[in-house]
Amino acid sequence: MTLMNDKVHAYKDQIGALSDVLPDVVKSYHEFTGECFQPGVLDAKTKQLIALGIGLFANNEVCTFYHVQEARSKGATDQEIMETVAVAGAVGGGHALSQGAMRVQKALQ
C-alpha cells in the first residue's frame, strides 16, 4: 500500500470513529457530499477535478490524495489531473497577488 492509500484509509478509519461519537453529523455529511458529487450538469469526473483543485488550494493532503484517486476512477487522465494542478496554481498565485495588490498596498498608504 502506498503512502497515499494509507492516508486515505486512515482518514476513513477516523471518520468511522467520529461516527461513533457524532453519528447524525457524519451521516448528514456523507449524504450531502454524496449528493453533491452525483452527475448532473457537470459530470462526476469534472466534479472530482474541481474538488482536487480546491483540495490543493486548501493545502489538504488527504483531500488531494482522495480526489486524485476518485478523479482517476471516474476516467480522468494524468494530463487532466495535472492541468487541474496548473489551474489550482494559477488561482493560488492570483489569490496572493490580488491580496497584495488590494490589502497590502492599502496598508502601506
Side-chain angles (χ1 to χ4, degrees):
M1 221 177 256
T2 66
L3 175 65
M4 178 173 70
N5 287 334
D6 290 346
K7 290 195 178 226
V8 170
H9 286 295
Y11 165 75
K12 289 180 179 181
D13 290 344
Q14 292 304 312
I15 287 293
L18 182 61
S19 183
D20 294 339
V21 178
L22 299 169
D24 293 338
V25 170
V26 173
K27 180 179 180 247
S28 295
Y29 174 75
H30 283 306
E31 288 172 356
F32 172 70
T33 58
E35 185 62 31
C36 290
F37 281 93
Q38 290 299 310
V41 175
L42 297 175
D43 62 38
K45 177 180 80 172
T46 300
K47 290 182 177 190
Q48 289 299 328
L49 292 171
I50 291 167
L52 171 59
I54 293 168
L56 289 164
F57 183 78
N59 196 29
N60 186 321
E61 182 180 46
V62 172
C63 280
T64 299
F65 290 155
Y66 178 80
H67 292 294
V68 165
Q69 290 176 343
E70 287 298 304
R72 275 192 160 162
S73 78
K74 305 293 188 256
T77 65
D78 289 354
Q79 185 66 31
E80 289 171 317
I81 290 168
M82 292 310 297
E83 284 186 22
T84 299
V85 170
V87 170
V91 170
H95 174 72
L97 188 60
S98 69
Q99 294 308 304
M102 299 292 291
R103 290 183 181 170
V104 175
Q105 287 189 116
K106 187 165 186 91
L108 293 174
Q109 293 175 351

